[in-house]
Each structure stands twice: as C-alpha cells, then as structure tokens.
C-alpha cells in the first residue's frame, strides 16, 4: 500500500454527507462532467455551503484533488461501481 493511501483511512470514516459528496464527484467524473460546487449541490440537493465544506474536508484528507473550479478523485484503494 502506498503511503498516501494509508493516510486516507477507511471510507467508512467519512460522514454520510461527505460520502454523498464524494459519490457525486465520482459519478460526475465517470460521466466526464465537471464536479463543480454547483454541480455537486444540484446532484445531491445539499446547499453549496455544505458541499464546499465537505469538498474542503475531502481535499484535506487526500480523497479529492481540486482542478480549477472542479474536483477529481484522489488516491483510493476501493472501487465504486457506476
């Protein structure tokens, strides 16, 4: 296991809201759509402030990587099926 993956911890350590935001980013990435704050908020029905907070936490934890005004999946060792 790579050192950066080890620091992420288990996906079950994410809050329900963080997991919802992460899954929305993953779905948008799979569909090759930009995972912007507004796109994630629309997809999840969460407020933009909540989405922004969760995105910040997920970036700090290494789960997401900012790219311009959008977000991409970071390193992970578990799969999502979409």
């Amino acid at each position: 296991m790579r050192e950066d993956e080890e620091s992420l911890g288990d996906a079950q350590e994410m809050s329900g809201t963080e997991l919802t935001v992460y899954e929305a980013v993953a779905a948008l990435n799979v569909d090759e759509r930009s995972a912007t704050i507004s796109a994630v908020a629309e997809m999840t029905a969460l407020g933009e402030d909540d989405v922004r907070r969760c995105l910040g936490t997920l970036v700090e934890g290494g789960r997401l990587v900012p790219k311009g005004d959008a977000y991409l999946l970071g390193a992970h060792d578990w799969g999502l099926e979409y």
Side-chain angles (χ1 to χ4, degrees), residues 7 14 25-27 41 45 48 50 63 66 69 73:
S7 67
M14 285 190 275
V25 171
E48 288 190 8
D50 289 333
R63 295 189 184 281
D69 66 346
L73 295 181

Side-chain angles (χ1 to χ4, degrees), residues 23-78:
E23 289 177 338
V25 171
L28 289 163
N29 284 186
V30 167
D31 289 343
E32 298 182 8
R33 295 171 46 208
S34 291
T36 62
I37 291 170
S38 60
V40 173
E42 182 179 327
M43 179 177 259
T44 61
L46 293 168
E48 288 190 8
D49 288 340
D50 289 333
V51 170
R52 188 175 288 107
R53 181 185 49 75
C54 287
L55 290 170
T57 300
L58 293 167
V59 167
E60 286 175 14
R63 295 189 184 281
L64 298 179
V65 177
K67 183 176 182 182
D69 66 346
Y71 295 83
L72 302 173
L73 295 181
H76 60 284
D77 61 354
W78 44 276

